Amino acid sequence: MCAICGCGGGDHAHSHGVGDHSHALATPPYASSDHSHAPSIEFGAGLAAVHIPGWSPARTIRIERAILSKNDAIAEINRLRLRAADVFALNFVSSPGSGKTSLLVRTITDILSRRPIAVIEGDQQTSLDADRIRRAGAPAVQLNTGNGCHLDAHMVAQSLDELSLIPGSLLFIENVGNLVCPAAFDLGEAHKVVVLSVTEGEDKPFKYPNMFAAADLMLLNKTDLLPHVEFDMQACAEAARRVNPTIDILPVSARTGAGLGAFYDWIEARRLSHSTAPPGIEPLDRRMSP
Amino acid sequence: MSMLESIIESVETEHRKRPFGRVRMIRLTLGALAAAEAESLRFCFAIIAEGSVAEGARLDIDTVRGEGWCADCAASVALTERYAPCPVCGGARLRLTAGDELQLTEIEVE
């Protein structure tokens, strides 16, 4: 019997061609010698000669890998490399326009005579910021991310090749102005420093909690403008401590220099505890942050 | 974007280890409180995957709800926000136990 149309088969010859009707299945077991079937796609050509709709030979590969594991691995290498070279790295994060570059320029001007400083400048494009840093007297590498919204550990690793890492020096990494993505990318820094200016809202720590949770220091910049803006310093500090109970908070003005002495002391104190801490042990909260 | 690039890089690494044909599906485990949004991952995926071994693959995202252990309640509590106090007792002694996953779980290949 013809397995396709159910006819008796052997006692008559017929065609399953265009004029008659056509079958998709036409593998040898079904096509008897006196049948002629139109060319067809062999769905049932597998071992069992069956076709299950929606199924075809495919396999599943288990991977179970943290998506950011590669970045984190490179960041760890950067951290070990900086540590071995006795370089203390800070990753400065903020929204655009908070005054990060002005703050770094001022810091370089004030303390470069005491301690060598190098800077990695991250921006979408232009080398304007690196030019400002170089004019202040520190070597700078400009990293342009193109369409990227943050720096990653690999970019920083490449920049480290460009810089001469002087023992006892500071490395300032100015991240792309963005309060969201840079929080998730460890670069190998000792600490993240979040800069918030008083011309922004004091509720920013609530709106962008990941960043404030990932940072160890919050600098409240542009305090010279406080008389002109409605900014509640106390409310801002409380908001920051709600998302990160251990964050240090320092009010500063990069323009007038107010409060910067405390910031320089913070750097020295943290540099000391960082270089004397046993390697490979990071604060638990950093490990758990996204 | 870099997260998607990192996912595709992992798939390509796997491809070099044991060559396969087309990638049909990529499954991610994504915590509701992780630093990535399922919708934007889906939105960008096709563009990033273009020209790679993962081109044309379907992106399946398993979402894990946020959960924390509150030391004051001595209980697991459901969390909808990160870094917020315990939604039951208002205490701050809260540890995130689930919801920050960001993992490439498996791929289905031909």
Side-chain angles (χ1 to χ4, degrees), chain A residues 54 56-68 70 150 184-185 209-210 213 242-243 288-290, chain B residues 2-3 6-7 9-10 14 18-20 24 28 35 82-83 85 95 100 102-110:
Chain A
S56 74
R59 60 208 161 95
T60 300
I61 302 175
R62 297 291 289 182
I63 298 183
E64 313 239 3
R65 190 176 304 138
I67 290 167
L68 292 175
K70 194 176 170 216
H150 57 267
F185 289 83
N210 289 359
R242 269 275 297 281
V243 300
M288 290 172 71
S289 67
Chain B
S2 332
M3 289 181 192
S6 158
I7 291 164
E9 223 175 281
S10 292
E14 211 60 39
R18 34 185 165 175
F20 44 74
R24 297 173 147 221
L28 309 181
R82 248 192 127 134
Y83 316 113
R95 191 164 51 85
D100 67 342
L102 198 56
Q103 194 186 54
L104 169 59
T105 321
E106 61 182 22
I107 56 175
E108 195 181 284
V109 298
E110 284 174 9

Side-chain angles (χ1 to χ4, degrees), chain A residues 182-269:
Chain A
F185 289 83
D186 182 5
L187 305 179
E189 72 275 358
H191 300 285
K192 280 193 180 71
V193 176
V194 61
V195 183
L196 183 65
S197 63
V198 302
T199 54
E200 304 171 61
E202 60 257 345
D203 51 0
K204 278 241 167 113
F206 287 139
K207 290 166 152 179
Y208 303 96
N210 289 359
M211 185 60 85
F212 291 85
D216 295 308
L217 172 66
M218 173 167 81
L219 291 177
L220 282 171
N221 193 22
K222 306 191 189 178
T223 49
D224 52 303
L225 295 178
L226 272 176
H228 311 287
V229 293
E230 280 184 31
F231 185 89
D232 186 337
M233 298 278 278
Q234 193 57 38
C236 184
E238 275 168 22
R241 291 210 170 94
R242 269 275 297 281
V243 300
N244 182 354
T246 61
I247 196 167
D248 291 326
I249 301 169
L250 296 172
V252 297
S253 166
R255 197 162 76 90
T256 66
L260 285 175
F263 173 47
Y264 305 150
D265 291 345
W266 184 92
I267 294 176
E268 284 305 317

